[in-house]
Amino acid sequence: MHERGKSDNPVVPANPPNKAACAAAEVVEGRGLAKGNTASTTRPGHRAGQGAPSALDRVRRVARGDKEARFTALLHHVDLARLRAAYGAIRPAAVPGVDGVTWEVYGQNLDVNLKDLHARVHSGGYQARPSRRAYIPKADGRQRPLGIASLEDKIVQRAVVEVLNAIYEVDFLGFSYGFRPGRKPHDALDALAAGILRKKVNWVLDADIRDFFTKLDQGWLERFLEHRIADQRILRLIRRWLAAGVIENGEWSPTPEGSPQGASVSPLLANVYLHVCHECGEGLYVGRPS
């Protein structure tokens, strides 16, 4: 989660994808061929109740067995244990957000802080804070904007991402590598090499989606999430993070588009956006949702 993406107006395919190439990549990956699951009407939701064995295991089983299932009860998986694990996964030296709270200071009264945070998340009292704007240089000389979240936002985002990964890691395709658990760039290079050696390859395309994180269409993203997520509490959290805005030089600015690059939740949201564009988008999405 600490890795930064190589790239950041949402870009979607103008032409149908090369299905043969996609299928070949899936076969090289050792997975079955991709199945479309977002073009049809979704069914009423499934509930992953408190008695589900091994917490998120039942969520994974339902997601794997029913590609049209929409999950209506997910927030209860964001429990104290998961919030504690999320806190532990944050780098202690990470730069603080607009709240100025560091990992070390928060941990001095960790149990009380996490119990209070848990109560606010589940009662609806939790409010996302704006991100603090920072910049890092890019290879081409431009500056890449980063959004540094406050510590509690980092904790809740990490916990929510873990829950949503139980669904989306079942959905994502074998040739998808960016920002996924247990996958790294070298795995993608290995798969590329294997594909070139085992399949007839006439060309290789190197493409970059310009300013993707900062230009991502929030309206379409919410609709894409609703293909699988029917728990309005989870969706409300995501909307709050997207709408929290940024603070730069002491001035707050709204964020009507994009998802903060550097936020723990943004890589998953980006992958969901691109995955659904691929699955649904045998053509293209035009304009904004009404």
Side-chain angles (χ1 to χ4, degrees):
M1 287 188 177
H2 304 307
E3 293 183 355
R4 295 179 178 127
K6 185 177 179 181
S7 66
D8 311 324
N9 327 284
V11 180
V12 293
N15 298 310
N18 185 335
K19 290 188 175 181
C22 291
E26 288 283 78
V27 172
V28 169
E29 284 296 288
R31 291 174 50 137
L33 300 182
K35 297 179 180 179
N37 68 303
T38 51
S40 58
T41 303
T42 51
R43 300 178 188 175
H46 288 254
R47 298 184 66 86
Q50 294 280 7
S54 303
L56 293 177
D57 285 352
R58 183 169 182 265
V59 176
R60 293 187 184 94
R61 289 200 301 271
V62 173
R64 185 177 294 111
D66 188 349
K67 295 299 184 179
E68 296 181 356
R70 299 179 69 227
F71 293 82
T72 60
L74 292 171
L75 188 66
H76 69 269
H77 290 292
V78 182
D79 54 19
L80 272 172
R82 189 152 281 117
L83 292 173
R84 183 181 297 276
Y87 167 81
I90 296 172
R91 290 184 296 111
V95 177
V98 296
D99 58 350
V101 178
T102 65
W103 186 90
E104 183 179 4
V105 168
Y106 196 85
Q108 291 174 0
N109 202 11
L110 185 60
D111 286 342
V112 173
N113 287 334
L114 289 181
K115 288 178 180 178
D116 177 66
L117 176 59
H118 178 266
R120 282 184 279 123
V121 168
H122 286 265
S123 68
Y126 163 82
Q127 296 294 329
R129 291 177 177 266
S131 298
R132 183 168 65 84
R133 176 72 82 213
Y135 293 90
I136 59 172
K138 299 182 69 171
D140 60 5
R142 293 183 300 160
Q143 296 287 310
R144 172 178 293 162
L146 293 181
I148 302 174
S150 67
L151 187 69
E152 286 196 334
D153 289 335
K154 292 177 182 178
I155 293 171
V156 181
Q157 286 183 21
R158 283 176 174 270
V160 169
V161 166
E162 184 180 356
V163 172
L164 295 184
N165 272 340
I167 299 167
Y168 287 112
E169 279 301 304
V170 173
D171 289 352
F172 290 156
L173 303 179
F175 50 71
S176 166
Y177 288 90
F179 303 109
R180 292 184 58 190
R183 294 185 168 220
K184 55 187 183 294
H186 285 98
D187 295 326
L189 292 174
D190 288 344
L192 178 62
I196 292 174
L197 290 173
R198 299 180 190 178
K199 302 292 176 181
K200 182 179 179 180
V201 177
N202 295 320
W203 49 267
V204 175
L205 175 65
D206 180 12
D208 187 17
I209 303 177
R210 177 178 296 177
D211 298 331
F212 176 61
F213 280 96
T214 57
K215 298 297 185 180
L216 183 150
D217 191 300
Q218 295 179 4
W220 279 117
L221 173 61
E222 185 170 347
R223 291 184 66 174
F224 293 164
L225 289 167
E226 289 173 349
H227 289 181
R228 280 299 227 174
I229 310 303
D231 189 332
Q232 289 300 316
R233 299 168 300 172
I234 293 288
L235 295 173
R236 190 179 302 116
L237 284 174
I238 294 173
R239 283 194 294 267
R240 287 177 177 177
W241 291 326
L242 294 175
V246 297
I247 290 183
E248 182 176 3
N249 298 324
E251 295 290 330
W252 178 85
S253 298
T255 48
E257 59 183 0
S259 182
Q261 188 168 4
S264 299
V265 73
S266 292
L268 174 63
L269 298 181
N271 278 338
V272 170
Y273 195 99
L274 292 175
H275 173 78
V276 178
C277 281
H278 174 273
E279 291 282 272
C280 290
E282 315 248 4
L284 45 100
Y285 285 106
V286 179
R288 294 177 176 272
S290 57

Short mmCIF file of all heavy atoms in Angstrom, two decimals, residues 256-283:
data_model
loop_
_atom_site.label_atom_id
_atom_site.label_comp_id
_atom_site.label_asym_id
_atom_site.label_seq_id
_atom_site.Cartn_x
_atom_site.Cartn_y
_atom_site.Cartn_z
N PRO A 256 -14.19 17.68 -6.95
CA PRO A 256 -15.35 17.13 -7.67
C PRO A 256 -15.00 15.95 -8.56
O PRO A 256 -15.88 15.28 -9.07
CB PRO A 256 -15.84 18.32 -8.49
CG PRO A 256 -14.62 19.15 -8.71
CD PRO A 256 -13.79 19.00 -7.47
N GLU A 257 -13.73 15.72 -8.78
CA GLU A 257 -13.31 14.57 -9.57
C GLU A 257 -12.03 14.01 -8.97
O GLU A 257 -11.33 14.66 -8.20
CB GLU A 257 -13.08 14.95 -11.03
CG GLU A 257 -12.03 16.03 -11.24
CD GLU A 257 -11.88 16.44 -12.70
OE1 GLU A 257 -12.61 15.87 -13.54
OE2 GLU A 257 -11.04 17.30 -13.00
N GLY A 258 -11.74 12.78 -9.32
CA GLY A 258 -10.51 12.15 -8.88
C GLY A 258 -10.61 11.51 -7.50
O GLY A 258 -11.60 11.65 -6.78
N SER A 259 -9.56 10.79 -7.16
CA SER A 259 -9.40 10.18 -5.84
C SER A 259 -7.97 10.45 -5.41
O SER A 259 -7.03 10.24 -6.21
CB SER A 259 -9.67 8.67 -5.92
OG SER A 259 -9.56 8.07 -4.64
N PRO A 260 -7.73 10.90 -4.19
CA PRO A 260 -6.40 11.38 -3.82
C PRO A 260 -5.32 10.32 -4.02
O PRO A 260 -5.39 9.22 -3.46
CB PRO A 260 -6.55 11.73 -2.33
CG PRO A 260 -8.00 11.94 -2.13
CD PRO A 260 -8.69 11.01 -3.08
N GLN A 261 -4.33 10.63 -4.83
CA GLN A 261 -3.22 9.71 -4.98
C GLN A 261 -2.39 9.74 -3.70
O GLN A 261 -1.97 10.78 -3.23
CB GLN A 261 -2.35 10.09 -6.18
CG GLN A 261 -1.29 9.06 -6.49
CD GLN A 261 -0.64 9.30 -7.83
OE1 GLN A 261 -0.92 10.28 -8.50
NE2 GLN A 261 0.22 8.38 -8.24
N GLY A 262 -2.18 8.58 -3.15
CA GLY A 262 -1.53 8.48 -1.86
C GLY A 262 -2.47 8.00 -0.78
O GLY A 262 -2.02 7.52 0.26
N ALA A 263 -3.78 8.12 -0.99
CA ALA A 263 -4.75 7.61 -0.03
C ALA A 263 -4.82 6.09 -0.12
O ALA A 263 -4.71 5.52 -1.21
CB ALA A 263 -6.12 8.22 -0.27
N SER A 264 -5.01 5.42 1.00
CA SER A 264 -5.00 3.96 1.03
C SER A 264 -6.12 3.36 0.20
O SER A 264 -5.98 2.26 -0.34
CB SER A 264 -5.13 3.47 2.48
OG SER A 264 -4.04 3.93 3.26
N VAL A 265 -7.24 4.06 0.07
CA VAL A 265 -8.39 3.52 -0.64
C VAL A 265 -8.29 3.73 -2.14
O VAL A 265 -8.94 3.03 -2.93
CB VAL A 265 -9.70 4.13 -0.09
CG1 VAL A 265 -9.86 5.58 -0.55
CG2 VAL A 265 -10.91 3.29 -0.45
N SER A 266 -7.47 4.67 -2.60
CA SER A 266 -7.47 5.06 -4.01
C SER A 266 -7.03 3.96 -4.97
O SER A 266 -7.62 3.80 -6.04
CB SER A 266 -6.60 6.31 -4.20
OG SER A 266 -7.21 7.43 -3.57
N PRO A 267 -5.99 3.18 -4.66
CA PRO A 267 -5.61 2.11 -5.61
C PRO A 267 -6.72 1.11 -5.86
O PRO A 267 -6.94 0.70 -7.00
CB PRO A 267 -4.40 1.46 -4.92
CG PRO A 267 -3.81 2.54 -4.08
CD PRO A 267 -5.00 3.31 -3.57
N LEU A 268 -7.45 0.73 -4.82
CA LEU A 268 -8.57 -0.21 -5.01
C LEU A 268 -9.66 0.43 -5.86
O LEU A 268 -10.20 -0.20 -6.77
CB LEU A 268 -9.14 -0.65 -3.67
CG LEU A 268 -10.40 -1.52 -3.76
CD1 LEU A 268 -10.11 -2.83 -4.49
CD2 LEU A 268 -10.99 -1.79 -2.38
N LEU A 269 -10.01 1.70 -5.58
CA LEU A 269 -11.03 2.38 -6.37
C LEU A 269 -10.61 2.48 -7.83
O LEU A 269 -11.43 2.29 -8.73
CB LEU A 269 -11.29 3.77 -5.79
CG LEU A 269 -11.82 3.84 -4.35
CD1 LEU A 269 -12.05 5.29 -3.93
CD2 LEU A 269 -13.10 3.02 -4.18
N ALA A 270 -9.35 2.76 -8.08
CA ALA A 270 -8.85 2.83 -9.45
C ALA A 270 -8.97 1.49 -10.14
O ALA A 270 -9.37 1.41 -11.31
CB ALA A 270 -7.39 3.30 -9.44
N ASN A 271 -8.64 0.41 -9.44
CA ASN A 271 -8.73 -0.92 -10.03
C ASN A 271 -10.18 -1.31 -10.32
O ASN A 271 -10.47 -1.95 -11.33
CB ASN A 271 -8.08 -1.96 -9.12
CG ASN A 271 -6.58 -2.01 -9.28
OD1 ASN A 271 -6.04 -1.59 -10.30
ND2 ASN A 271 -5.88 -2.50 -8.27
N VAL A 272 -11.10 -0.94 -9.42
CA VAL A 272 -12.52 -1.22 -9.66
C VAL A 272 -12.98 -0.47 -10.91
O VAL A 272 -13.67 -1.03 -11.77
CB VAL A 272 -13.37 -0.80 -8.44
CG1 VAL A 272 -14.86 -0.86 -8.77
CG2 VAL A 272 -13.07 -1.71 -7.25
N TYR A 273 -12.59 0.78 -11.03
CA TYR A 273 -12.99 1.61 -12.18
C TYR A 273 -12.50 0.99 -13.49
O TYR A 273 -13.26 0.80 -14.44
CB TYR A 273 -12.41 3.01 -12.00
CG TYR A 273 -13.01 4.07 -12.89
CD1 TYR A 273 -13.99 4.92 -12.43
CD2 TYR A 273 -12.57 4.22 -14.21
CE1 TYR A 273 -14.53 5.91 -13.24
CE2 TYR A 273 -13.11 5.19 -15.02
CZ TYR A 273 -14.09 6.04 -14.54
OH TYR A 273 -14.63 7.00 -15.35
N LEU A 274 -11.24 0.63 -13.53
CA LEU A 274 -10.67 0.08 -14.75
C LEU A 274 -11.22 -1.31 -15.05
O LEU A 274 -11.45 -1.67 -16.21
CB LEU A 274 -9.14 0.02 -14.63
CG LEU A 274 -8.44 1.38 -14.61
CD1 LEU A 274 -6.95 1.18 -14.36
CD2 LEU A 274 -8.68 2.14 -15.90
N HIS A 275 -11.45 -2.09 -14.00
CA HIS A 275 -11.97 -3.45 -14.20
C HIS A 275 -13.37 -3.41 -14.81
O HIS A 275 -13.66 -4.14 -15.76
CB HIS A 275 -12.02 -4.19 -12.86
CG HIS A 275 -12.70 -5.52 -12.94
ND1 HIS A 275 -12.08 -6.64 -13.46
CD2 HIS A 275 -13.95 -5.92 -12.58
CE1 HIS A 275 -12.92 -7.67 -13.41
NE2 HIS A 275 -14.05 -7.26 -12.89
N VAL A 276 -14.23 -2.56 -14.26
CA VAL A 276 -15.60 -2.50 -14.77
C VAL A 276 -15.62 -1.90 -16.17
O VAL A 276 -16.39 -2.34 -17.03
CB VAL A 276 -16.51 -1.71 -13.81
CG1 VAL A 276 -17.93 -1.62 -14.37
CG2 VAL A 276 -16.53 -2.36 -12.44
N CYS A 277 -14.76 -0.92 -16.44
CA CYS A 277 -14.66 -0.39 -17.80
C CYS A 277 -14.28 -1.50 -18.77
O CYS A 277 -14.79 -1.57 -19.89
CB CYS A 277 -13.61 0.72 -17.86
SG CYS A 277 -14.18 2.31 -17.23
N HIS A 278 -13.41 -2.40 -18.34
CA HIS A 278 -12.99 -3.51 -19.20
C HIS A 278 -14.11 -4.52 -19.37
O HIS A 278 -14.42 -4.96 -20.47
CB HIS A 278 -11.76 -4.19 -18.61
CG HIS A 278 -11.34 -5.42 -19.35
ND1 HIS A 278 -11.87 -6.66 -19.06
CD2 HIS A 278 -10.48 -5.60 -20.37
CE1 HIS A 278 -11.34 -7.55 -19.89
NE2 HIS A 278 -10.48 -6.94 -20.68
N GLU A 279 -14.75 -4.89 -18.26
CA GLU A 279 -15.78 -5.94 -18.30
C GLU A 279 -17.02 -5.48 -19.05
O GLU A 279 -17.57 -6.21 -19.86
CB GLU A 279 -16.16 -6.34 -16.87
CG GLU A 279 -15.06 -7.09 -16.14
CD GLU A 279 -14.99 -8.54 -16.58
OE1 GLU A 279 -15.69 -9.37 -16.00
OE2 GLU A 279 -14.22 -8.82 -17.52
N CYS A 280 -17.47 -4.26 -18.75
CA CYS A 280 -18.66 -3.73 -19.42
C CYS A 280 -18.29 -3.17 -20.78
O CYS A 280 -19.09 -3.17 -21.70
CB CYS A 280 -19.29 -2.60 -18.62
SG CYS A 280 -20.06 -3.10 -17.11
N GLY A 281 -17.08 -2.64 -20.87
CA GLY A 281 -16.76 -1.76 -21.97
C GLY A 281 -16.29 -2.44 -23.21
O GLY A 281 -15.20 -2.20 -23.66
N GLU A 282 -17.11 -3.29 -23.76
CA GLU A 282 -16.80 -3.80 -25.08
C GLU A 282 -16.92 -2.65 -26.07
O GLU A 282 -16.60 -2.77 -27.22
CB GLU A 282 -17.75 -4.93 -25.44
CG GLU A 282 -17.92 -5.87 -24.31
CD GLU A 282 -17.30 -7.20 -24.63
OE1 GLU A 282 -16.69 -7.34 -25.69
OE2 GLU A 282 -17.46 -8.06 -23.80
N GLY A 283 -17.39 -1.51 -25.61
CA GLY A 283 -17.38 -0.29 -26.39
C GLY A 283 -16.83 0.79 -25.49
O GLY A 283 -15.73 0.68 -25.00
#
